[in-house]
């Protein structure tokens, strides 16, 4: 029986946080049983912004795998994909890049938001190219479902477009059109109470934070409320956390109601209760993470990545072979020219605009 395939992943720019958890990681853990899952560590993409810091990228790659294993991604059921080990991915990136108009890539809202957020004076050629690379990550595994946070949705849309265009131009039925799967919380604010949670903004609660760190960060959460009798906004960042992490919705409802009325309820008590709830979610992760601590843990992770890369490469290599066959780049099959010519005659002719920039 074949299970629907999933591919998603993370760029190793640091440890993963609660935003990643509610945006995508929870879905991954939940879907492992009835899907064939590939979880990719996009270490090549990390060079888009940190090309001169390869040691940091290596360290963060290991940290992301620790986070994956801690959160409950099970290496016995799911395949970890270290991007730099999969040779078919850069090759597919190059081929797909020919099917995407330059302006289309530059218009991608995910890319534009990232370029704006990072406030770079200039960016490498590789920065926009990474979005095409992301399409290749997904399509190399012929994934049907891509669990990501809302910020990535526009890139997945571009992936759908390029998959359709490939089929239109070359045929071959190589790629399913992948669907995006968003998390239960669209956008989790950071502890600044305003911007989305992000490591680079310094407003993140990490999956690897201790109980004391969680409490400290929650205490510092900005709400702007002055006293326990001020009517509060039950949709502020504090309550977005309460809704995301307090398990009992009835309890959240009661708190929100008292908060809105300013019914003698201080931010401090709610923060303490939310911190408790977050700690309860993260506590089992700490235990699982402990098994991969230190140099011995790192060695085990590297072994895992090596073994999984073999499995992953086999899948991606098969995709690439099918892609090349569809594109008539398969020199080995040259004797079949006559047959291929006749099949080409049956292909619908692509409109002449199919490749023109818009
Ligand atoms: N760009 C994604 C991020 O930074 C990581 C990523 C790379 C990815 N390749 C992917 C996500 C393929 C989903 C599918 O979060």
């Amino acid at each position: 029986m074949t299970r629907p395939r999933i591919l998603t992943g993370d760029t190793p720019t640091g440890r993963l946080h609660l935003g990643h958890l509610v945006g995508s990681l929870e879905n991954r853990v939940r879907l492992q049983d009835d899907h064939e899952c590939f979880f990719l560590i996009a270490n090549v993409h990390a060079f888009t912004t940190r090309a001169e810091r390869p040691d940091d990228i290596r360290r963060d790659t290991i940290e992301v795998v620790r986070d994956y294993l801690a959160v409950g991604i099970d290496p016995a059921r799911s395949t970890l994909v270290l991007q730099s080990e999969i040779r078919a991915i850069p090759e597919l990136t190059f081929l797909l890049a020919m099917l995407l108009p330059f302006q289309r890539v530059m218009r991608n809202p995910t890319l534009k938001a990232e370029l704006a957020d990072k406030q770079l004076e200039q960016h490498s050629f590789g920065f926009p190219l990474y979005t095409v690379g992301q399409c290749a990550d997904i399509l190399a595994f012929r994934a049907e479902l891509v669990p990501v946070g809302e910020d990535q949705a526009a890139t997945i849309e571009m992936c759908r477009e390029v998959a359709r265009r490939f089929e239109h131009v070359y045929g071959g039925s190589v790629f399913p059109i992948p669907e995006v799967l968003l998390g239960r919380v669209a956008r989790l604010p950071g502890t600044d109470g305003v911007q989305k949670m992000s490591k680079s903004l310094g407003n993140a609660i990490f999956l690897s934070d201790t109980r004391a760190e969680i409490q400290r960060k929650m205490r510092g959460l900005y709400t702007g409320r002055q006293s326990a009798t001020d009517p509060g906004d039950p949709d502020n960042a504090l309550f977005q956390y309460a809704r995301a992490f307090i398990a009992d919705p009835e309890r959240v409802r009661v708190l929100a109601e008292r908060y809105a009325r300013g019914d003698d309820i201080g931010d401090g008590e709610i923060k303490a209760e939310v911190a408790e709830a977050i700690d309860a979610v993260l506590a089992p992760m700490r235990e699982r993470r402990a098994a991969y601590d230190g140099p011995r843990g790192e060695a085990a992770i590297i072994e895992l990545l090596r073994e999984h890369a073999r499995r992953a490469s086999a899948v991606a290599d098969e995709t690439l072979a099918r892609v090349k066959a569809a594109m008539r780049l398969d020199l080995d099959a040259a004797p079949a020219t006559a047959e291929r010519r006749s099949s080409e005659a049956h292909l619908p002719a692509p409109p002449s605009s199919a490749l023109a920039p818009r």
Side-chain angles (χ1 to χ4, degrees), residues 133-281:
Q134 184 159 343
C135 301
D137 295 337
I138 296 166
L139 297 179
F141 291 88
R142 284 165 274 140
E144 285 159 71
L145 197 61
V146 188
V148 284
E150 197 179 39
D151 58 322
Q152 297 291 311
T155 298
I156 314 309
E157 182 52 38
M158 191 170 90
C159 178
R160 292 163 57 84
E161 273 174 48
V162 77
R164 285 199 205 94
R165 195 161 301 176
F166 186 97
E167 179 62 23
H168 185 76
V169 176
Y170 304 117
S173 306
V174 182
F175 305 123
I177 308 299
E179 299 279 344
V180 67
L181 176 69
L182 298 179
R184 70 187 165 98
V185 179
R187 175 189 176 278
L188 192 73
T191 52
D192 56 358
V194 184
Q195 289 181 277
K196 80 163 183 175
M197 187 174 284
S198 150
K199 178 189 142 71
S200 54
L201 296 171
N203 64 3
I205 296 176
F206 296 102
L207 303 181
S208 48
D209 277 351
T210 62
R211 182 182 169 82
E213 282 165 332
I214 298 166
Q215 287 167 335
R216 181 179 57 77
K217 289 179 180 179
M218 280 310 298
R219 273 197 301 274
L221 173 66
Y222 180 74
T223 62
R225 188 162 174 259
Q226 302 293 336
S227 93
T229 52
D230 283 350
D233 171 10
D235 291 316
N236 67 10
L238 178 55
F239 271 90
Q240 291 179 51
Y241 285 111
R243 283 196 190 87
F245 300 108
I246 293 179
D248 175 9
E250 180 54 22
R251 174 69 188 155
V252 179
R253 202 187 56 74
V254 170
L255 287 172
E257 206 182 271
R258 287 183 57 201
Y259 195 72
R261 277 190 279 124
D263 182 11
D264 197 24
I265 180 166
D267 281 27
E269 18 176 336
I270 304 174
K271 287 177 178 177
E273 190 166 335
V274 171
E276 207 55 47
I278 292 173
D279 187 58
V281 172

